[in-house]
Amino acid sequence: MRPESEADLAEGIAGAREAFHIRGGGTRAIGVTTAPQVLETGGLSGITLYEPGALTLVARAGTPLVEIEAALAAEGQRLAFEPMDHRGLLGTVGAPTIGGVVAANVSGPRRVQAGACRDFMLGVRFVDGTGTVVKNGGRVMKNVTGYDLVKLMSGSWGTLGVLTEVSLKVLPRPETSACLMIDGLSEGAAQEVMSRAVTSPFEITGAAHAPGGPGDVPLTLLRIEGFAGSVSYRLGRLQEMFADLSVRVETDPGQVAALWRWVRDVEMMQGTGGDVWKLSVRPSAAPGVVAELRARHEISRVLYDWAGGLIWVDCAPGTDLRPKGLQGHATLIRASEQTRLSLPVFQPEPPAVAALTQGIRARFDPKGMLNPGIMA
Amino acid sequence: MQMPEPNPSILARKGRIVERLLAVLPADRVISDEAETRAYECDALTAYRCPPLAAVLPSSTAEVSAVLKICFEEGVPVVPRGSGTSLAGGALPTADSVILGVARMNEVLEVDYADRIIRVQTGRTNLSVTGAVEEEDFFYAPDPSSQLACAIAGNIAMNSGGAHCLKYGVTTNNLLGVTMVQMDGTVVEIGGAHLDAGGLDLLGLICGSEGQLGVVTEATLRILRKPEGARPVLMGFDSNEVAGACVSDIIKAGVLPVAIEFMDRPCIRATEEFAQAGYPDCEALLIVEVEGSPEEIDEQLGKILAIARRHDPVELREAKDADEAGRIWLGRKSAFGAMGNINDYMCLDGTIPVNELPFVLKRIGELSKEFGLDVANVFHAGDGNMHPLILFDANTPGQLEKCEALGAEILKLCVEVGGCLTGEHGVGIEKRDLMVDQYATADLEAQMAVKDVFDPPWLLNPAKVFPLASSEARRVVRVAAE
């Protein structure tokens, strides 16, 4: 099915006998669904409202992300949560859509300072598993009118409803950016440096560490963005803070952007053939978690983002990497279909939480019509 | 404002219910004497009052769980209460309900500066969260005006905002985890010191659910390092349109101030009489504050002042020192006190798209004349969260009703221009019956379906948020089942 309107979509779902695999750009494959037919959202496309002075953009869910980024760039604005492009890592092709970004709650390195995709979501329209059209939130920045289903829909991977329209808060694109590059730190030392940086008053908008950097030398990256005077001032202050370390500075905007794209899209794990996991943990616990993983499994590459709060791990295919008693969660991002069927892709929940999740799913999609199995 | 009739069977069982509560709590934490329950008869929406069946003040998650389990078994509605500062009637009891107050649970459980988190019991006040981390130059960002008194529990229930959320976001953007007790006594842990949800974003759903999904007893909150400094600038304009255009131009220019506050002429005059802050006598006044080092502040204010000058301001006032900064904020901070000094007032909380500001202010002026009640406007202009203050005299019969009718018209206007009924106060009982103006039946059904999952018998704060007629079928099932 490829509906051209929300009404068509609602009718299609209400009258369907078999479940749908919902697809925007098809670039972010995750769990394995049992749905026999595909539902393409590409027919629901176009920016419906953009008010730069109100920092608000509303678009139909199937709108290509490039179209949204171009419209924002023309006004000197951007999606501040810096959504990752999964194509390189997953080897997918196609054009990512804004609906896909929201359904997967995709954020990037700036999440550590600006917040996640869900933090920029102002409103949604969606069609639930019974074919009912539902709206929640709106297009204003402060809205506590009723329950926040906007957050619930963000990151629900299409299992509660098919998004038809999303409303987002956007932010100004800063005048310039710069990056501090620190060579040769151990993982523990790098995490401490990142913590010191994000707890400084200098509004670090990216803090990442690669134990094997581009030249197999450990590399720690700290990003600052803002007006030229401010960036230059903050660079100076951070250099003072880390004067005892081997610090290089990158101020060429193109180079800074390339470095952070390398982090954002996990370029070091692209095309390696290993399985890729994503762990969300307490930042200071990250080096310990990684050490334990290395002791138990065959790990080929690691990347720390979000000051340590996000760990990317590249490991031998088929590894059940998920640590027991993990304080946080681990998600299987890249693996063979066989592995994705044999291991839980998402972090298993404690029984009481799982009961709530299942209850919500049963209410929004009682017949299991939308991406069944994908979040199992 | 209508509330459901109390259930006579519960009233008749008061003795047994209180006895069971006394079995799990110390005697001084169960309040059932009629004179003493009056202390819990209302929150900050004082026009509506009703003493509860009893009030309990547990001191731990385990005690909250024990209390809820008893109420679940007895079929007694429970109204959770933080500090009782809700302007929307979120903590208003019914005669057959038990108030569950978390005020005694105010411990700091953990502070970790490196990971930028604090874990607290939710009875702790908003300001004292910052108080606990201030010595290390950290702060908790959401700052509702009631922050001296309001509890984190209430902030989470209402997803509270404040003056600085243009830059720092509201409660939901600064909440990382909760310990929550469900109506049947089940304790769940959601989120923690890490970021994002591993599955569905239940944390996002719980925040702002007005105490209807569970009682949040502990919370992990994001703390931030304080900026090096902050400085406000005051601008006066001779029309609301021009002030509105200036706000939009500042935002478009890529400057993101930490706050942009707007006051209209009625509000400027009232506060000037009350606080003598030395504000110019003009149609509209903006206070814009930016943060950073002195050099960074100069850079941002340079851009902001250049934009303001293009809009022919009648006054531009920069703060040269802390004293002058204090004077710029003085009037704004005394605005509510000034209004209270003149009259009784009702504070609305609708949000509108920022570009609709001039039209909405003009329409509010017309409605004010139509209803014969003065309205003063003071609000967070950067994010469109309006706070129209309707002045009335509670002692004149009929004025409260008239004021509520005008309030309803203004909120409907906010919805019509693409906004919403409430930006940071919550729906409670105050805006409950207007929900049908913002949401269709299916939209409300989807929200109520969530409550069905968390609280199947609809015992937690049941008569709030949803119009009574919409939630009736669900609440009736419970009464019939007894």
Side-chain angles (χ1 to χ4, degrees):
Chain A
M1 178 163 67
R2 190 179 191 276
E4 298 292 324
S5 71
E6 186 182 75
D8 283 354
L9 170 64
E11 203 177 306
I13 292 179
R17 300 241 172 98
E18 290 184 313
F20 294 103
H21 179 199
I22 306 154
R23 190 153 73 198
T27 67
R28 303 184 206 274
I30 192 140
V32 181
T33 177
T34 54
Q37 54 180 336
V38 170
L39 193 167
E40 300 258 9
T41 63
L44 307 166
S45 184
I47 295 169
T48 48
L49 179 144
Y50 177 28
E51 286 283 352
L55 301 175
T56 319
L57 180 135
V58 185
R60 294 198 186 93
T63 311
L65 193 58
V66 284
E67 190 178 325
I68 285 169
E69 284 173 339
L72 292 172
E75 294 288 340
Q77 297 186 340
R78 68 178 179 186
L79 297 174
F81 53 92
E82 200 177 7
M84 166 186 183
D85 183 342
H86 280 79
R87 285 177 292 190
L89 189 65
L90 300 181
T92 48
V93 289
T97 62
I98 189 66
V101 168
V102 174
N105 186 31
V106 183
S107 315
R110 204 175 293 109
R111 196 254 176 275
V112 73
Q113 186 260 345
C117 172
R118 57 88 99 174
D119 294 300
F120 288 84
M121 284 297 297
L122 304 177
V124 289
R125 292 181 67 91
F126 63 93
V127 179
D128 74 9
T130 68
T132 305
V133 177
V134 178
K135 71 165 187 299
N136 192 260
R139 61 177 173 103
V140 289
M141 275 189 226
K142 276 163 86 181
N143 186 347
V144 296
T145 319
Y147 295 173
D148 193 346
L149 305 185
V150 180
K151 301 276 184 308
L152 180 67
M153 294 305 293
S154 309
S156 65
W157 290 91
T159 60
L160 303 180
V162 182
L163 293 170
T164 57
E165 190 178 79
V166 296
S167 164
L168 291 141
K169 174 184 175 181
V170 299
L171 282 181
R173 181 179 291 273
E175 191 172 277
T176 189
S177 60
C179 186
L180 265 80
M181 304 158 76
I182 305 170
D183 295 312
L185 294 179
S186 72
E187 291 169 50
Q191 200 288 319
E192 278 174 34
V193 163
M194 293 192 286
S195 264
R196 279 176 66 201
V198 297
T199 54
S200 76
F202 307 124
E203 289 178 358
I204 300 296
T205 68
H209 174 75
D216 258 354
V217 176
L219 177 66
T220 310
L221 299 171
L222 303 172
R223 178 172 61 185
I224 12 176
E225 298 171 292
F227 289 117
S230 174
V231 166
S232 132
Y233 164 78
R234 289 174 185 207
L235 257 186
R237 293 298 304 272
L238 287 161
Q239 280 175 288
E240 282 166 35
M241 264 176 78
F242 300 118
D244 53 336
L245 303 174
S246 158
V247 179
R248 291 175 289 141
V249 167
E250 181 57 69
T251 53
D252 175 71
Q255 290 297 323
V256 173
L259 277 168
W260 287 95
R261 206 174 314 116
W262 183 79
V263 175
R264 186 193 74 178
D265 297 343
V266 204
E267 288 182 12
M268 67 154 76
M269 297 180 195
Q270 294 184 3
T272 59
D275 284 0
V276 174
W277 289 75
K278 180 181 146 177
L279 283 78
S280 180
V281 300
R282 185 182 190 125
S284 59
V289 169
V290 170
E292 203 187 304
L293 292 179
R294 282 208 183 93
R296 288 167 190 269
H297 307 288
E298 194 188 319
I299 310 286
S300 52
R301 289 168 195 82
V302 170
L303 175 68
Y304 297 83
D305 196 358
W306 302 351
L310 173 65
I311 311 167
W312 290 97
V313 181
D314 188 341
C315 61
T319 306
D320 182 0
L321 191 82
R322 193 171 278 126
K324 298 272 175 295
L326 176 70
Q327 296 291 305
H329 50 88
T331 313
L332 178 56
I333 299 294
R334 186 181 73 191
S336 66
E337 182 164 315
Q338 193 190 351
T339 304
R340 286 184 286 146
L341 279 168
S342 63
L343 296 176
V345 168
F346 290 85
Q347 181 74 28
E349 293 172 325
V353 178
L356 293 173
T357 295
Q358 282 155 16
I360 290 168
R361 206 161 269 144
R363 294 286 169 151
F364 283 75
D365 182 20
K367 293 182 288 176
M369 298 299 281
L370 309 175
N371 278 351
I374 218 167
M375 282 188 89
Chain B
M1 203 67 67
Q2 201 198 339
M3 288 298 275
E5 286 299 313
N7 181 338
S9 135
I10 295 173
L11 300 181
R13 280 180 285 132
K14 176 173 175 173
R16 186 178 85 190
I17 293 163
V18 169
E19 207 169 291
R20 288 194 68 187
L21 293 171
L22 281 167
V24 297
L25 291 180
D28 62 339
R29 301 295 171 88
V30 181
I31 296 144
S32 60
D33 178 81
E34 271 176 48
E36 289 176 52
T37 55
R38 288 218 166 269
Y40 299 91
E41 67 181 0
C42 70
D43 52 27
L45 184 69
T46 53
Y48 298 93
R49 294 163 194 266
C50 173
L53 187 77
V56 293
L57 302 170
S59 56
S60 68
T61 301
E63 284 185 358
V64 170
S65 171
V67 165
L68 286 174
K69 195 158 183 294
I70 290 167
C71 292
F72 179 78
E73 286 164 4
E74 295 284 345
V76 179
V78 172
V79 176
R81 180 181 168 106
S83 299
T85 57
S86 172
L87 291 165
L92 176 72
T94 47
D96 59 359
S97 69
V98 168
I99 284 271
L100 194 166
V102 294
R104 300 291 174 91
M105 300 175 59
N106 52 20
E107 297 291 316
V108 171
L109 303 169
E110 185 193 356
V111 181
D112 187 330
Y113 295 107
D115 287 333
R116 300 189 298 165
I117 55 149
I118 183 169
R119 200 158 63 87
V120 297
Q121 287 186 313
T122 56
R124 195 165 182 90
T125 61
N126 174 293
L127 196 60
S128 74
V129 172
T130 290
V133 296
E134 220 164 19
E135 60 179 18
E136 294 289 331
D137 272 342
F138 278 73
F139 72 111
Y140 174 60
D143 59 341
S145 351
S146 57
Q147 68 179 154
L148 187 63
C150 66
I152 292 298
N155 290 182
I156 293 170
M158 295 309 198
N159 188 14
S160 303
H164 292 79
C165 38
L166 183 58
K167 180 168 176 189
Y168 294 112
V170 295
T171 302
T172 193
N173 311 114
N174 293 277
L175 177 68
L176 298 177
V178 294
T179 300
M180 184 182 83
V181 188
Q182 288 177 250
M183 187 63 217
D184 64 1
T186 307
V187 178
V188 290
E189 296 280 345
I190 294 170
H194 57 279
L195 294 172
D196 294 347
L200 294 181
D201 189 353
L202 300 181
L203 187 64
L205 187 59
I206 289 161
C207 191
S209 62
E210 307 209 5
Q212 291 195 310
L213 302 186
V215 177
V216 175
T217 55
E218 294 174 14
T220 305
L221 307 170
R222 165 69 74 224
I223 50 173
L224 296 171
R225 180 70 183 271
K226 280 188 181 170
E228 289 184 89
R231 205 189 306 156
V233 55
L234 177 149
M235 317 168 178
F237 296 96
D238 53 19
S239 86
N240 289 328
E241 283 82 355
V242 176
C246 184
V247 170
S248 177
D249 285 352
I250 290 170
I251 290 172
K252 271 195 278 196
V255 192
L256 198 64
V258 67
I260 306 181
E261 297 290 295
F262 191 122
M263 292 167 76
D264 71 355
R265 186 189 284 275
C267 187
I268 299 167
R269 287 204 168 148
T271 54
E272 203 40 40
E273 276 169 35
F274 181 74
Q276 289 101 39
Y279 284 177
D281 187 28
C282 57
E283 279 301 316
L285 190 147
L286 295 179
I287 298 172
V288 182
E289 182 159 276
V290 296
E291 292 178 342
S293 68
E295 301 84 349
E296 290 177 297
I297 288 174
D298 286 342
E299 186 179 28
Q300 295 175 73
L301 284 185
K303 290 176 199 288
I304 289 170
L305 291 169
I307 292 164
R309 285 194 189 95
R310 290 207 297 272
H311 290 281
D312 296 326
V314 297
E315 173 112 6
L316 272 187
R317 194 180 299 169
E318 277 188 84
K320 287 182 202 66
D321 51 38
D323 186 50
E324 286 190 18
R327 289 184 62 77
I328 285 179
W329 276 110
L330 176 67
R332 168 64 186 90
K333 291 193 169 161
S334 11
F336 286 43
M339 293 303 156
N341 199 38
I342 306 175
N343 242 325
D344 297 304
Y345 69 84
M346 181 182 188
C347 173
L348 302 179
D349 173 45
T351 307
I352 57 165
V354 178
N355 48 307
E356 297 287 351
L357 215 52
F359 169 75
V360 170
L361 287 174
K362 183 168 145 274
R363 234 356 243 139
I364 289 177
E366 290 164 8
L367 287 167
S368 157
K369 283 203 187 75
E370 223 171 276
F371 280 78
L373 292 173
D374 287 334
V375 180
N377 285 288
V378 48
F379 53 90
H380 315 306
D383 51 33
N385 189 191
M386 316 260 304
H387 287 310
L389 303 171
I390 307 175
L391 305 181
F392 72 105
D393 179 2
N395 295 323
T396 307
Q399 281 240 317
L400 172 65
E401 291 73 18
K402 205 177 191 183
C403 169
E404 286 182 339
L406 171 55
E409 286 307 309
I410 293 174
L411 293 181
K412 285 180 193 173
L413 170 66
C414 291
V415 174
E416 270 165 37
V417 301
C420 66
L421 297 171
T422 172
E424 57 186 359
H425 294 173
V427 177
I429 57 159
E430 192 203 14
K431 280 144 308 210
R432 187 188 66 193
D433 298 329
L434 292 170
M435 285 290 271
V436 290
D437 289 288
Q438 180 162 346
Y439 286 121
T441 307
D443 306 332
L444 292 175
E445 276 295 321
Q447 297 179 33
M448 289 190 288
V450 168
K451 182 161 172 65
D452 293 342
V453 173
F454 281 77
D455 174 25
W458 274 64
L459 287 170
L460 268 173
N461 223 4
K464 315 284 167 67
V465 184
F466 306 104
L468 289 184
S470 307
S471 64
E472 190 179 14
R474 289 167 157 95
R475 287 180 292 109
V476 164
V477 170
R478 184 231 316 157
V479 175
E482 274 160 21

